[in-house]
Amino acid sequence: MKKKLVFIMNPISGTTSKEGIPELIDSTLNKDLFDHEVLLTERAGHACELAIRAKDAGVDVVVAVGGDGTVNEVARSIVHSNTALGIIPCGSGNGLARHLMLPMNAKKSIEIINRCEIHDLDYGIINDHPFFCTCGMGFDAFVSMKFAESGKRGPITYVENVLREGLKYKPETYVIEDDNGSMRYKAFLISCANASQYGNNAYIAPQASMSDGWLDVIIMEPFDVLEAPQISIDMFNKTLDKSSKIKTFKSKKLYIHREREGVIHFDGDPIMTNEDVTIELREKGIKIIVNPDADKSLRKPNAVQTAAAYLFNEINVVREDLTKHTRHIQALSKVLQRKLNSF
């Protein structure tokens, strides 16, 4: 018996033209195995409606054709059901698709769908909003809001926002509670990762897995201008977890209290919320078509990248120690100067 597939395509999302994708689906999909139809979204939230309708009709696979927003809309509509998620990545970041090591080429993505290898994977929820890659608060949520307001897409726009806003952003103080107790942090950002990256191969949590039953919690401490370039390099080299400015731990559920209301993000979609944020994992809650040929070792840094990360981290530690000693000497010098002036 043939499986039923529904392709939900956002014609205006991302940076990739989708004009020829329906024809490509028709010519590449294995018609001996699948019956299919292609549905186009017409407005924000329409992908959710179409995915729920397909799930309720017993469709075997709903394929999101678009960017991270379209993927999130479709995915959150089919959790805890027998309907699986497929992805043809056409966005500017493609975070979930890249973590799953799906091809960025539409034809090759359809060939992966033909093989239809389905795994039960984890997902997360932040203040009742499902996410499948990352969620968080602080600078990344702030930039997500600026990115959404800009009306433009693509990595260049994202980098422009990061550079423009990064030097002005003020870290906040957070209280984080989980099963191990409560800790207070001053942080540039706090991210919870179900998958390894934001998108565009920017790895916020290189060790994160969608099948281990844990969220990777990343706390990025405040840093100065001299440290910013290395943090960026670490993110793209998959070595961010080696940085002295990064604290990480794993959790299934955590509660975060911050000083004031503000923006959070789920898979890059920003939303304003109050001071209290709850984040938790849902184990094996969604079925997803994966790449049977994915080489998971490619998510890890190579030996040169790891060695470089350790070297720069040691240099940074020495620099911080020198800075502290310099400030201490300057303070002593001022005390001595005042005593000398008193004679």
Side-chain angles (χ1 to χ4, degrees):
M1 185 175 177
K2 292 184 180 181
K3 291 182 182 293
K4 176 66 176 176
L5 271 62
V6 169
F7 293 81
I8 297 178
M9 188 169 81
N10 183 341
I12 61 171
S13 70
T15 57
T16 305
S17 172
K18 306 177 196 66
E19 185 176 347
I21 288 181
E23 291 79 9
L24 192 62
I25 291 169
D26 190 63
S27 63
T28 308
L29 194 68
N30 188 334
K31 305 292 181 51
D32 293 331
L33 299 178
F34 308 110
D35 289 323
H36 80 282
E37 63 177 321
V38 178
L39 305 176
L40 302 183
T41 62
E42 299 171 357
R43 59 188 178 278
H46 194 201
C48 285
E49 298 171 23
L50 296 174
I52 290 170
R53 192 182 308 160
K55 176 191 68 175
D56 292 345
V59 168
D60 295 290
V61 180
V62 179
V63 181
V65 185
D68 292 328
T70 304
V71 170
N72 184 285
E73 281 195 38
V74 171
R76 69 177 185 248
S77 304
I78 60 173
V79 294
H80 304 290
S81 76
N82 291 321
T83 300
L85 170 72
I87 303 172
I88 298 178
C90 301
S92 54
N94 303 311
L96 183 56
R98 290 182 189 276
H99 172 83
L100 295 170
M101 303 185 129
L102 298 176
M104 294 297 105
N105 175 277
K107 187 175 189 298
K108 291 180 179 179
S109 294
I110 299 167
E111 290 169 353
I112 294 292
I113 292 167
N114 278 336
R115 298 170 72 178
C116 205
E117 181 166 326
I118 297 171
H119 289 186
D120 291 314
L121 299 177
D122 305 335
Y123 75 99
I125 297 177
I126 178 170
N127 281 13
D128 298 324
H129 297 282
F131 66 93
F132 303 88
C133 279
T134 64
C135 75
M137 63 211 70
F139 183 67
D140 59 347
F142 175 72
V143 169
S144 292
M145 182 70 82
K146 294 291 183 181
F147 190 54
E149 290 172 352
S150 72
K152 294 187 292 183
R153 286 288 183 261
I156 293 176
T157 302
Y158 188 82
V159 170
E160 284 175 351
N161 277 300
V162 169
L163 294 175
R164 185 185 307 112
E165 306 295 342
L167 297 177
K168 298 185 292 183
Y169 186 79
K170 302 298 182 185
E172 295 184 60
T173 300
Y174 303 88
V175 176
I176 303 177
E177 298 177 18
D178 69 356
D179 289 341
N180 295 316
S182 175
M183 290 292 292
R184 187 181 184 90
Y185 296 94
K186 187 173 184 180
F188 191 68
L189 66 83
I190 297 176
S191 183
C192 288
N194 182 48
S196 57
Q197 62 168 283
Y198 286 134
N200 288 313
N201 290 322
Y203 287 80
I204 184 66
Q207 308 303 323
S209 167
M210 294 183 69
S211 58
D212 65 353
W214 294 94
L215 291 169
D216 284 44
V217 184
I218 303 94
I219 300 166
M220 185 178 290
E221 296 178 341
F223 54 87
D224 60 37
V225 173
L226 294 176
E227 294 164 317
Q230 184 56 39
I231 288 173
S232 299
I233 291 169
D234 284 337
M235 192 174 293
F236 287 97
N237 276 354
K238 313 165 198 171
T239 53
L240 190 64
D241 54 332
K242 308 294 190 298
S243 171
S244 63
K245 292 300 180 181
I246 301 295
K247 301 289 183 290
T248 64
F249 62 93
K250 291 182 181 288
S251 181
K252 293 182 184 292
K253 183 175 182 177
L254 62 158
Y255 164 78
I256 301 173
H257 178 78
R258 50 190 176 173
E259 297 170 317
R260 62 185 69 86
E261 66 178 17
V263 64
I264 61 172
H265 82 88
F266 49 98
D267 289 342
D269 279 342
I271 188 171
M272 291 294 294
T273 188
N274 60 25
E275 301 94 328
D276 299 314
V277 180
T278 300
I279 305 168
E280 56 187 309
L281 187 79
R282 294 283 191 266
E283 292 187 51
K284 312 299 181 188
I286 182 166
K287 298 178 182 297
I288 301 181
I289 290 180
V290 301
N291 181 356
D293 300 325
D295 182 358
K296 295 181 181 178
S297 68
L298 295 177
R299 294 195 192 118
K300 298 178 181 179
N302 61 39
V304 173
Q305 290 170 326
T306 300
Y310 279 122
L311 173 62
F312 280 112
N313 188 51
E314 289 301 315
I315 291 171
N316 188 52
V317 169
V318 171
R319 187 179 67 82
E320 286 181 339
D321 286 343
L322 288 172
T323 300
K324 288 177 183 176
H325 286 307
T326 300
R327 287 172 180 167
H328 184 61
I329 291 169
Q330 288 173 340
L332 286 175
S333 176
K334 288 179 180 178
V335 171
L336 290 172
Q337 188 66 42
R338 282 198 298 269
K339 287 186 177 294
L340 289 171
N341 290 338
S342 66
F343 290 114

